Amino acid sequence: MQGVMDALSVLFSVPGLASLLVGTALGIVVGALPGLGPSIGISLLIPFTYDLSPEVSMILLISLYMAAEYGGSVSAILLSTPGTAAAAATAIDGYAMTQNGRGNEALGVSLSASAVGGLVGGLALLVLAAPLAKLALQFGPAGYFAVGLFGLTSVAALSGGSLVKGLAGAAFGLSLAFIGIDPISGTPRFTFGFYQLFEGVPMLAALIGLFAVSEALLLAESIAGGAPGVVRGKVNHVFLKLADWKRLGGTMLSGSIIGTLLGILPGVGGNIACWVSRDFATRRHPDVEFGKGEPLGVAAPESANNATVGGAMVPLLALGVPGSPTTAVIVGALVMHGLRPGPQLFAEQPALVYTILLGVMLSAVALYIVGSIALPWLSRVVQLPDSVLAAGIMVFAVLGAYALRNLTFDIWLTLGFGLIGYLMKKLQFPVAPVVLALVLGYLVETNFRTALVTSQGSYSIFFTDPVSALFLVLSVVSIVLPLWRKRREKKAKTINPV
């Protein structure tokens, strides 16, 4: 209870409430700008959290995460241009509603559904995280290694359309994680004579480069095309009537449950949850014509999107395994403050843990309040041209990289990662496995080697330990299942060619 009381005192303090409101407003803007999203927004914001306490920093980042998941629907509804990949399903019925002169209603449905999804996901986090963390405290080195491996393989298998590219990205991320001082022997390795790499690859430099700088390069490349410059219709209000709540409430609840469950699975997230939830809604309402401006087609994916926020935080806090690329960036923020996510965090930093647990739910409430009041003005952010976005991202990226250690080396490193991220996106290599492997590399390596030391070099420990054996099986399944599905689809096309 002391941890809960300390968390509440932080959440309802002036810095806590200010961070909550600022993060929410920034999140809506970041989500509404096509091509950005929560991962890039958080990576750009991390340098500004250095002088804040870990609790206030987490409030700021989580509220941005929650609001950005909703913000993607603003441009999806008004311009048919999803601000985030998770808002793609929303664009179908949302933009159709705008074309029918019902843009205000669509934004209201999206905001309300996002708030409901955020609350349900936050409640699930509050209920599930602590018990799972207590269970995880019983894990040995072999178990922790297998959990980290499962996080890597599941993300590699579920990000992008190619398993080979996903695994290649994870392997690249692991190679980056091996740079620095060897955790067992204490000797430098793979530093190539650069003393700046003795502490390893700076997490922030990699995050800003892979996510933000690469996107700025892509935006610069597409300046000629540009984004639509005029918002279709004026946004006046976003409040739903009681009749709308009655009609859409069940769909919002079912979408929230789907989003929470899929968010808990590492690597799934809102990109998949939005489509699963929309598909469930179409099956549940066969008499409704979706795709032509149906509010249910907005409520279903938007509730699922925001529910994944709380769901993705469950494995992060309980096991130390990020549930999504965005939570991987949040891990980077925790590392910047000298903290490591996982079950030990509950004992070492109870105030921080409960600030996160309660902060997810409170950020959903702040999203509804800020969105209802400020959305008519914030929606106009979609009019910004790509040239302004690209220049702004590069400025913040360079400042953030230099602020890390006041080293010019970090700026060049960030720009280098930006070029790598740009090439990966051009070649359709997923970036998420690289980031998660960089985050999980320390966990995987140290526990793998510690387990071998414990067993005197015998690999049997990974198969005799029940937790390790379970997660090793899950790791194999996460790789084999996509291959089996792809083979089945290929076989079906061969039998029934189009």
Side-chain angles (χ1 to χ4, degrees):
M1 286 302 298
Q2 185 61 44
V4 175
M5 297 304 297
D6 291 341
L8 289 174
S9 66
V10 173
L11 285 166
F12 290 99
S13 65
V14 173
L17 291 175
S19 298
L20 188 69
L21 297 177
V22 170
T24 301
L26 288 176
I28 295 176
V29 172
V30 167
L33 293 173
L36 297 188
S39 300
I40 297 173
I42 289 176
S43 65
L44 289 174
L45 196 61
I46 288 176
F48 298 96
T49 66
Y50 289 158
D51 295 330
L52 302 177
S53 67
E55 291 81 6
V56 174
S57 299
M58 285 299 104
I59 296 172
L60 182 64
L61 299 182
I62 289 173
S63 59
L64 187 149
Y65 184 11
M66 179 70 72
E69 289 292 345
Y70 159 71
S73 69
V74 176
S75 53
I77 291 171
L78 297 176
L79 301 172
S80 189
T81 306
T84 61
T90 306
I92 300 174
D93 281 285
Y95 185 62
M97 291 179 70
T98 297
Q99 290 179 312
N100 296 334
R102 301 165 62 196
N104 283 346
E105 182 185 352
L107 289 171
V109 172
S110 175
L111 179 62
S112 301
S114 296
V116 171
L119 285 171
V120 173
L123 181 62
L125 174 65
L126 188 63
V127 172
L128 296 177
L132 283 177
K134 289 182 179 179
L135 179 63
L137 285 172
Q138 309 302 318
F139 293 3
Y144 270 118
F145 161 75
V147 169
L149 184 65
F150 170 65
L152 289 175
T153 56
S154 61
V155 169
L158 292 170
S159 55
S162 172
L163 175 62
V164 175
K165 289 182 178 180
L167 291 175
F172 175 61
L174 280 177
S175 67
L176 294 175
F178 295 150
I179 296 174
I181 302 296
D182 187 300
I184 303 298
S185 66
T187 57
R189 58 184 185 181
F190 308 120
T191 58
F192 306 102
F194 291 103
Y195 70 89
Q196 297 93 337
L197 294 176
F198 279 11
E199 297 179 0
V201 174
M203 180 70 66
L204 187 59
L207 293 177
I208 293 179
L210 289 171
F211 282 98
V213 175
S214 64
E215 195 61 41
L217 294 175
L218 289 172
L219 283 172
E221 186 181 41
S222 63
I223 282 177
V230 180
V231 177
R232 292 173 174 82
K234 186 178 180 181
V235 180
N236 297 314
H237 61 83
V238 290
F239 295 103
L240 291 186
K241 299 177 182 178
L242 181 60
D244 296 324
W245 280 102
K246 290 181 179 179
R247 180 171 183 263
L248 303 173
T251 298
M252 292 180 185
L253 183 59
S254 62
S256 300
I257 295 173
I258 291 172
T260 300
L261 295 176
L262 293 181
I264 293 174
L265 299 176
V268 180
N271 298 1
I272 296 176
C274 65
W275 294 105
V276 174
S277 180
R278 187 178 189 277
D279 180 65
F280 181 79
T282 57
R283 295 175 185 275
R284 187 183 175 193
H285 301 277
D287 55 323
V288 176
E289 188 176 8
F290 286 80
K292 295 186 177 181
E294 172 54 51
L296 289 169
V298 176
E302 281 305 303
S303 57
N305 291 350
N306 282 75
T308 60
V309 174
M313 295 294 292
V314 171
L316 170 64
L317 290 177
L319 304 175
V321 176
S324 69
T326 305
T327 51
V329 181
I330 292 177
V331 170
L334 288 171
V335 172
M336 293 299 104
H337 286 279
L339 302 169
R340 283 276 176 185
Q344 294 88 352
L345 203 62
F346 281 77
E348 298 171 358
Q349 298 286 339
L352 174 63
V353 170
Y354 283 102
T355 298
I356 296 174
L357 296 179
L358 298 174
V360 172
M361 299 181 69
L362 195 59
S363 64
V365 177
L367 170 62
Y368 187 78
I369 296 173
V370 173
S372 299
I373 297 172
L375 190 58
W377 295 275
L378 293 176
S379 63
R380 307 202 185 286
V381 77
V382 298
Q383 300 179 54
L384 290 175
D386 285 349
S387 57
V388 175
L389 295 181
I393 290 173
M394 288 299 295
V395 169
F396 280 110
V398 171
L399 290 176
Y402 185 75
L404 176 63
R405 299 183 296 183
N406 295 328
L407 295 176
T408 307
F409 178 85
D410 291 339
I411 296 178
W412 290 111
L413 197 63
T414 299
L415 295 176
F417 274 113
L419 182 59
I420 293 173
Y422 168 79
L423 293 175
M424 290 183 67
K425 290 177 180 178
K426 293 292 288 185
L427 298 173
Q428 297 183 336
F429 276 82
V431 176
V434 180
V435 176
L436 294 183
L438 180 59
V439 171
L440 294 174
Y442 181 85
L443 171 74
V444 171
E445 182 194 8
T446 54
N447 284 286
F448 175 76
R449 296 172 67 179
T450 303
L452 288 179
V453 171
T454 304
S455 64
Q456 298 181 342
S458 174
Y459 289 91
S460 62
I461 188 173
F462 298 107
F463 305 100
T464 55
D465 184 289
V467 174
S468 175
L470 171 62
F471 279 97
L472 286 177
V473 170
L474 292 175
S475 299
V476 173
V477 171
S478 66
I479 295 177
V480 173
L481 189 59
L483 292 174
W484 176 75
R485 286 178 177 172
K486 185 169 289 187
R487 184 177 180 182
R488 188 178 63 175
E489 292 173 1
K490 187 176 180 180
K491 186 177 181 180
K493 289 181 180 179
T494 305
I495 298 174
N496 301 308
V498 179

PDB file of all heavy atoms in Angstrom, residues 74-105:
ATOM      1  N   VAL A  74      -6.956  10.403 -36.157  1.00  0.00           N
ATOM      2  CA  VAL A  74      -7.359  11.751 -36.562  1.00  0.00           C
ATOM      3  C   VAL A  74      -7.130  11.954 -38.047  1.00  0.00           C
ATOM      4  O   VAL A  74      -8.033  12.316 -38.798  1.00  0.00           O
ATOM      5  CB  VAL A  74      -6.604  12.821 -35.740  1.00  0.00           C
ATOM      6  CG1 VAL A  74      -6.951  14.219 -36.243  1.00  0.00           C
ATOM      7  CG2 VAL A  74      -6.929  12.686 -34.258  1.00  0.00           C
ATOM      8  N   SER A  75      -5.900  11.690 -38.495  1.00  0.00           N
ATOM      9  CA  SER A  75      -5.620  11.825 -39.928  1.00  0.00           C
ATOM     10  C   SER A  75      -6.280  10.716 -40.730  1.00  0.00           C
ATOM     11  O   SER A  75      -6.626  10.912 -41.903  1.00  0.00           O
ATOM     12  CB  SER A  75      -4.102  11.822 -40.165  1.00  0.00           C
ATOM     13  OG  SER A  75      -3.500  10.690 -39.577  1.00  0.00           O
ATOM     14  N   ALA A  76      -6.474   9.544 -40.115  1.00  0.00           N
ATOM     15  CA  ALA A  76      -7.156   8.456 -40.823  1.00  0.00           C
ATOM     16  C   ALA A  76      -8.606   8.838 -41.129  1.00  0.00           C
ATOM     17  O   ALA A  76      -9.121   8.569 -42.221  1.00  0.00           O
ATOM     18  CB  ALA A  76      -7.115   7.178 -39.991  1.00  0.00           C
ATOM     19  N   ILE A  77      -9.264   9.479 -40.180  1.00  0.00           N
ATOM     20  CA  ILE A  77     -10.665   9.857 -40.353  1.00  0.00           C
ATOM     21  C   ILE A  77     -10.806  11.085 -41.245  1.00  0.00           C
ATOM     22  O   ILE A  77     -11.656  11.131 -42.131  1.00  0.00           O
ATOM     23  CB  ILE A  77     -11.316  10.104 -38.974  1.00  0.00           C
ATOM     24  CG1 ILE A  77     -11.452   8.776 -38.212  1.00  0.00           C
ATOM     25  CG2 ILE A  77     -12.674  10.786 -39.112  1.00  0.00           C
ATOM     26  CD1 ILE A  77     -11.868   8.939 -36.768  1.00  0.00           C
ATOM     27  N   LEU A  78      -9.960  12.082 -41.044  1.00  0.00           N
ATOM     28  CA  LEU A  78     -10.099  13.341 -41.776  1.00  0.00           C
ATOM     29  C   LEU A  78      -9.499  13.308 -43.174  1.00  0.00           C
ATOM     30  O   LEU A  78      -9.992  13.975 -44.077  1.00  0.00           O
ATOM     31  CB  LEU A  78      -9.458  14.483 -40.982  1.00  0.00           C
ATOM     32  CG  LEU A  78     -10.090  14.802 -39.625  1.00  0.00           C
ATOM     33  CD1 LEU A  78      -9.303  15.888 -38.915  1.00  0.00           C
ATOM     34  CD2 LEU A  78     -11.544  15.219 -39.787  1.00  0.00           C
ATOM     35  N   LEU A  79      -8.423  12.513 -43.347  1.00  0.00           N
ATOM     36  CA  LEU A  79      -7.698  12.548 -44.615  1.00  0.00           C
ATOM     37  C   LEU A  79      -7.537  11.187 -45.277  1.00  0.00           C
ATOM     38  O   LEU A  79      -6.897  11.100 -46.324  1.00  0.00           O
ATOM     39  CB  LEU A  79      -6.298  13.157 -44.399  1.00  0.00           C
ATOM     40  CG  LEU A  79      -6.246  14.572 -43.841  1.00  0.00           C
ATOM     41  CD1 LEU A  79      -4.812  14.944 -43.504  1.00  0.00           C
ATOM     42  CD2 LEU A  79      -6.814  15.554 -44.848  1.00  0.00           C
ATOM     43  N   SER A  80      -8.048  10.159 -44.663  1.00  0.00           N
ATOM     44  CA  SER A  80      -7.834   8.791 -45.153  1.00  0.00           C
ATOM     45  C   SER A  80      -6.346   8.463 -45.198  1.00  0.00           C
ATOM     46  O   SER A  80      -5.891   7.673 -46.021  1.00  0.00           O
ATOM     47  CB  SER A  80      -8.448   8.592 -46.555  1.00  0.00           C
ATOM     48  OG  SER A  80      -8.412   7.224 -46.916  1.00  0.00           O
ATOM     49  N   THR A  81      -5.583   9.070 -44.305  1.00  0.00           N
ATOM     50  CA  THR A  81      -4.144   8.832 -44.200  1.00  0.00           C
ATOM     51  C   THR A  81      -3.835   8.433 -42.764  1.00  0.00           C
ATOM     52  O   THR A  81      -3.689   9.297 -41.894  1.00  0.00           O
ATOM     53  CB  THR A  81      -3.339  10.098 -44.564  1.00  0.00           C
ATOM     54  OG1 THR A  81      -3.746  10.557 -45.852  1.00  0.00           O
ATOM     55  CG2 THR A  81      -1.849   9.809 -44.567  1.00  0.00           C
ATOM     56  N   PRO A  82      -3.770   7.139 -42.457  1.00  0.00           N
ATOM     57  CA  PRO A  82      -3.530   6.711 -41.073  1.00  0.00           C
ATOM     58  C   PRO A  82      -2.236   7.278 -40.524  1.00  0.00           C
ATOM     59  O   PRO A  82      -1.172   7.144 -41.144  1.00  0.00           O
ATOM     60  CB  PRO A  82      -3.453   5.175 -41.189  1.00  0.00           C
ATOM     61  CG  PRO A  82      -4.194   4.854 -42.445  1.00  0.00           C
ATOM     62  CD  PRO A  82      -3.935   5.995 -43.379  1.00  0.00           C
ATOM     63  N   GLY A  83      -2.330   7.937 -39.376  1.00  0.00           N
ATOM     64  CA  GLY A  83      -1.129   8.475 -38.749  1.00  0.00           C
ATOM     65  C   GLY A  83      -0.228   7.384 -38.230  1.00  0.00           C
ATOM     66  O   GLY A  83       0.987   7.551 -38.148  1.00  0.00           O
ATOM     67  N   THR A  84      -0.802   6.237 -37.862  1.00  0.00           N
ATOM     68  CA  THR A  84      -0.048   5.073 -37.429  1.00  0.00           C
ATOM     69  C   THR A  84      -0.589   3.855 -38.156  1.00  0.00           C
ATOM     70  O   THR A  84      -1.720   3.853 -38.639  1.00  0.00           O
ATOM     71  CB  THR A  84      -0.181   4.848 -35.911  1.00  0.00           C
ATOM     72  OG1 THR A  84      -1.562   4.632 -35.587  1.00  0.00           O
ATOM     73  CG2 THR A  84       0.329   6.050 -35.126  1.00  0.00           C
ATOM     74  N   ALA A  85       0.218   2.794 -38.216  1.00  0.00           N
ATOM     75  CA  ALA A  85      -0.231   1.574 -38.891  1.00  0.00           C
ATOM     76  C   ALA A  85      -1.453   0.977 -38.208  1.00  0.00           C
ATOM     77  O   ALA A  85      -2.309   0.364 -38.865  1.00  0.00           O
ATOM     78  CB  ALA A  85       0.909   0.552 -38.920  1.00  0.00           C
ATOM     79  N   ALA A  86      -1.549   1.168 -36.891  1.00  0.00           N
ATOM     80  CA  ALA A  86      -2.674   0.605 -36.148  1.00  0.00           C
ATOM     81  C   ALA A  86      -3.992   1.294 -36.465  1.00  0.00           C
ATOM     82  O   ALA A  86      -5.057   0.795 -36.115  1.00  0.00           O
ATOM     83  CB  ALA A  86      -2.403   0.691 -34.644  1.00  0.00           C
ATOM     84  N   ALA A  87      -3.944   2.458 -37.130  1.00  0.00           N
ATOM     85  CA  ALA A  87      -5.170   3.190 -37.485  1.00  0.00           C
ATOM     86  C   ALA A  87      -5.646   2.877 -38.898  1.00  0.00           C
ATOM     87  O   ALA A  87      -6.606   3.479 -39.370  1.00  0.00           O
ATOM     88  CB  ALA A  87      -4.939   4.688 -37.340  1.00  0.00           C
ATOM     89  N   ALA A  88      -4.979   1.933 -39.552  1.00  0.00           N
ATOM     90  CA  ALA A  88      -5.350   1.619 -40.933  1.00  0.00           C
ATOM     91  C   ALA A  88      -6.779   1.089 -41.025  1.00  0.00           C
ATOM     92  O   ALA A  88      -7.527   1.447 -41.949  1.00  0.00           O
ATOM     93  CB  ALA A  88      -4.371   0.603 -41.509  1.00  0.00           C
ATOM     94  N   ALA A  89      -7.164   0.252 -40.078  1.00  0.00           N
ATOM     95  CA  ALA A  89      -8.524  -0.293 -40.106  1.00  0.00           C
ATOM     96  C   ALA A  89      -9.560   0.787 -39.829  1.00  0.00           C
ATOM     97  O   ALA A  89     -10.698   0.706 -40.325  1.00  0.00           O
ATOM     98  CB  ALA A  89      -8.649  -1.420 -39.085  1.00  0.00           C
ATOM     99  N   THR A  90      -9.183   1.787 -39.058  1.00  0.00           N
ATOM    100  CA  THR A  90     -10.108   2.880 -38.738  1.00  0.00           C
ATOM    101  C   THR A  90     -10.432   3.719 -39.961  1.00  0.00           C
ATOM    102  O   THR A  90     -11.543   4.254 -40.090  1.00  0.00           O
ATOM    103  CB  THR A  90      -9.494   3.778 -37.648  1.00  0.00           C
ATOM    104  OG1 THR A  90      -9.123   2.970 -36.529  1.00  0.00           O
ATOM    105  CG2 THR A  90     -10.469   4.851 -37.194  1.00  0.00           C
ATOM    106  N   ALA A  91      -9.464   3.845 -40.869  1.00  0.00           N
ATOM    107  CA  ALA A  91      -9.632   4.715 -42.038  1.00  0.00           C
ATOM    108  C   ALA A  91     -10.778   4.265 -42.939  1.00  0.00           C
ATOM    109  O   ALA A  91     -11.390   5.080 -43.627  1.00  0.00           O
ATOM    110  CB  ALA A  91      -8.331   4.778 -42.834  1.00  0.00           C
ATOM    111  N   ILE A  92     -11.083   2.981 -42.947  1.00  0.00           N
ATOM    112  CA  ILE A  92     -12.089   2.462 -43.877  1.00  0.00           C
ATOM    113  C   ILE A  92     -13.448   3.104 -43.634  1.00  0.00           C
ATOM    114  O   ILE A  92     -14.029   3.743 -44.511  1.00  0.00           O
ATOM    115  CB  ILE A  92     -12.179   0.922 -43.766  1.00  0.00           C
ATOM    116  CG1 ILE A  92     -10.825   0.294 -44.107  1.00  0.00           C
ATOM    117  CG2 ILE A  92     -13.272   0.387 -44.693  1.00  0.00           C
ATOM    118  CD1 ILE A  92     -10.782  -1.205 -43.895  1.00  0.00           C
ATOM    119  N   ASP A  93     -13.965   2.932 -42.426  1.00  0.00           N
ATOM    120  CA  ASP A  93     -15.270   3.515 -42.109  1.00  0.00           C
ATOM    121  C   ASP A  93     -15.150   4.961 -41.641  1.00  0.00           C
ATOM    122  O   ASP A  93     -16.067   5.759 -41.846  1.00  0.00           O
ATOM    123  CB  ASP A  93     -15.972   2.683 -41.034  1.00  0.00           C
ATOM    124  CG  ASP A  93     -16.606   1.429 -41.605  1.00  0.00           C
ATOM    125  OD1 ASP A  93     -17.661   1.545 -42.259  1.00  0.00           O
ATOM    126  OD2 ASP A  93     -16.045   0.338 -41.406  1.00  0.00           O
ATOM    127  N   GLY A  94     -14.020   5.308 -41.010  1.00  0.00           N
ATOM    128  CA  GLY A  94     -13.851   6.669 -40.495  1.00  0.00           C
ATOM    129  C   GLY A  94     -13.843   7.710 -41.594  1.00  0.00           C
ATOM    130  O   GLY A  94     -14.552   8.727 -41.511  1.00  0.00           O
ATOM    131  N   TYR A  95     -13.086   7.471 -42.660  1.00  0.00           N
ATOM    132  CA  TYR A  95     -13.032   8.439 -43.755  1.00  0.00           C
ATOM    133  C   TYR A  95     -14.350   8.457 -44.524  1.00  0.00           C
ATOM    134  O   TYR A  95     -14.772   9.518 -45.001  1.00  0.00           O
ATOM    135  CB  TYR A  95     -11.881   8.096 -44.691  1.00  0.00           C
ATOM    136  CG  TYR A  95     -11.682   9.121 -45.790  1.00  0.00           C
ATOM    137  CD1 TYR A  95     -11.347  10.432 -45.486  1.00  0.00           C
ATOM    138  CD2 TYR A  95     -11.842   8.774 -47.126  1.00  0.00           C
ATOM    139  CE1 TYR A  95     -11.165  11.378 -46.480  1.00  0.00           C
ATOM    140  CE2 TYR A  95     -11.658   9.709 -48.130  1.00  0.00           C
ATOM    141  CZ  TYR A  95     -11.324  11.007 -47.802  1.00  0.00           C
ATOM    142  OH  TYR A  95     -11.155  11.949 -48.799  1.00  0.00           O
ATOM    143  N   ALA A  96     -14.989   7.302 -44.612  1.00  0.00           N
ATOM    144  CA  ALA A  96     -16.301   7.267 -45.260  1.00  0.00           C
ATOM    145  C   ALA A  96     -17.310   8.127 -44.501  1.00  0.00           C
ATOM    146  O   ALA A  96     -18.147   8.802 -45.107  1.00  0.00           O
ATOM    147  CB  ALA A  96     -16.790   5.824 -45.363  1.00  0.00           C
ATOM    148  N   MET A  97     -17.230   8.134 -43.169  1.00  0.00           N
ATOM    149  CA  MET A  97     -18.100   8.976 -42.370  1.00  0.00           C
ATOM    150  C   MET A  97     -17.798  10.451 -42.620  1.00  0.00           C
ATOM    151  O   MET A  97     -18.716  11.281 -42.692  1.00  0.00           O
ATOM    152  CB  MET A  97     -17.951   8.641 -40.878  1.00  0.00           C
ATOM    153  CG  MET A  97     -18.493   7.278 -40.489  1.00  0.00           C
ATOM    154  SD  MET A  97     -18.260   6.905 -38.718  1.00  0.00           S
ATOM    155  CE  MET A  97     -19.421   8.073 -37.980  1.00  0.00           C
ATOM    156  N   THR A  98     -16.511  10.796 -42.766  1.00  0.00           N
ATOM    157  CA  THR A  98     -16.141  12.180 -43.070  1.00  0.00           C
ATOM    158  C   THR A  98     -16.713  12.600 -44.418  1.00  0.00           C
ATOM    159  O   THR A  98     -17.223  13.722 -44.573  1.00  0.00           O
ATOM    160  CB  THR A  98     -14.608  12.330 -43.080  1.00  0.00           C
ATOM    161  OG1 THR A  98     -14.102  12.035 -41.775  1.00  0.00           O
ATOM    162  CG2 THR A  98     -14.196  13.745 -43.454  1.00  0.00           C
ATOM    163  N   GLN A  99     -16.620  11.740 -45.406  1.00  0.00           N
ATOM    164  CA  GLN A  99     -17.157  12.048 -46.727  1.00  0.00           C
ATOM    165  C   GLN A  99     -18.671  12.233 -46.694  1.00  0.00           C
ATOM    166  O   GLN A  99     -19.233  12.960 -47.516  1.00  0.00           O
ATOM    167  CB  GLN A  99     -16.788  10.938 -47.715  1.00  0.00           C
ATOM    168  CG  GLN A  99     -15.303  10.901 -48.063  1.00  0.00           C
ATOM    169  CD  GLN A  99     -14.966   9.774 -49.013  1.00  0.00           C
ATOM    170  OE1 GLN A  99     -15.374   8.631 -48.809  1.00  0.00           O
ATOM    171  NE2 GLN A  99     -14.230  10.096 -50.076  1.00  0.00           N
ATOM    172  N   ASN A 100     -19.304  11.568 -45.722  1.00  0.00           N
ATOM    173  CA  ASN A 100     -20.759  11.693 -45.566  1.00  0.00           C
ATOM    174  C   ASN A 100     -21.142  12.860 -44.659  1.00  0.00           C
ATOM    175  O   ASN A 100     -22.311  12.978 -44.265  1.00  0.00           O
ATOM    176  CB  ASN A 100     -21.346  10.393 -45.004  1.00  0.00           C
ATOM    177  CG  ASN A 100     -21.161   9.219 -45.949  1.00  0.00           C
ATOM    178  OD1 ASN A 100     -21.051   9.404 -47.168  1.00  0.00           O
ATOM    179  ND2 ASN A 100     -21.106   8.013 -45.410  1.00  0.00           N
ATOM    180  N   GLY A 101     -20.160  13.696 -44.299  1.00  0.00           N
ATOM    181  CA  GLY A 101     -20.450  14.836 -43.442  1.00  0.00           C
ATOM    182  C   GLY A 101     -20.559  14.487 -41.972  1.00  0.00           C
ATOM    183  O   GLY A 101     -21.128  15.265 -41.197  1.00  0.00           O
ATOM    184  N   ARG A 102     -20.003  13.333 -41.572  1.00  0.00           N
ATOM    185  CA  ARG A 102     -20.104  12.881 -40.180  1.00  0.00           C
ATOM    186  C   ARG A 102     -18.718  12.752 -39.546  1.00  0.00           C
ATOM    187  O   ARG A 102     -18.463  11.889 -38.716  1.00  0.00           O
ATOM    188  CB  ARG A 102     -20.830  11.544 -40.119  1.00  0.00           C
ATOM    189  CG  ARG A 102     -22.239  11.584 -40.707  1.00  0.00           C
ATOM    190  CD  ARG A 102     -22.787  10.184 -40.967  1.00  0.00           C
ATOM    191  NE  ARG A 102     -22.910   9.409 -39.758  1.00  0.00           N
ATOM    192  CZ  ARG A 102     -23.072   8.071 -39.740  1.00  0.00           C
ATOM    193  NH1 ARG A 102     -23.075   7.399 -40.877  1.00  0.00           N
ATOM    194  NH2 ARG A 102     -23.185   7.434 -38.592  1.00  0.00           N
ATOM    195  N   GLY A 103     -17.804  13.642 -39.938  1.00  0.00           N
ATOM    196  CA  GLY A 103     -16.447  13.581 -39.406  1.00  0.00           C
ATOM    197  C   GLY A 103     -16.390  13.796 -37.907  1.00  0.00           C
ATOM    198  O   GLY A 103     -15.628  13.124 -37.197  1.00  0.00           O
ATOM    199  N   ASN A 104     -17.203  14.725 -37.396  1.00  0.00           N
ATOM    200  CA  ASN A 104     -17.254  14.965 -35.946  1.00  0.00           C
ATOM    201  C   ASN A 104     -17.658  13.708 -35.196  1.00  0.00           C
ATOM    202  O   ASN A 104     -17.079  13.350 -34.162  1.00  0.00           O
ATOM    203  CB  ASN A 104     -18.248  16.083 -35.635  1.00  0.00           C
ATOM    204  CG  ASN A 104     -17.684  17.464 -35.933  1.00  0.00           C
ATOM    205  OD1 ASN A 104     -16.494  17.601 -36.128  1.00  0.00           O
ATOM    206  ND2 ASN A 104     -18.546  18.463 -35.970  1.00  0.00           N
ATOM    207  N   GLU A 105     -18.687  13.040 -35.709  1.00  0.00           N
ATOM    208  CA  GLU A 105     -19.164  11.814 -35.064  1.00  0.00           C
ATOM    209  C   GLU A 105     -18.087  10.743 -35.074  1.00  0.00           C
ATOM    210  O   GLU A 105     -17.879  10.036 -34.077  1.00  0.00           O
ATOM    211  CB  GLU A 105     -20.413  11.301 -35.777  1.00  0.00           C
ATOM    212  CG  GLU A 105     -20.998  10.041 -35.141  1.00  0.00           C
ATOM    213  CD  GLU A 105     -22.169   9.481 -35.932  1.00  0.00           C
ATOM    214  OE1 GLU A 105     -22.622  10.149 -36.889  1.00  0.00           O
ATOM    215  OE2 GLU A 105     -22.621   8.367 -35.605  1.00  0.00           O
TER     216      GLU A 105
END
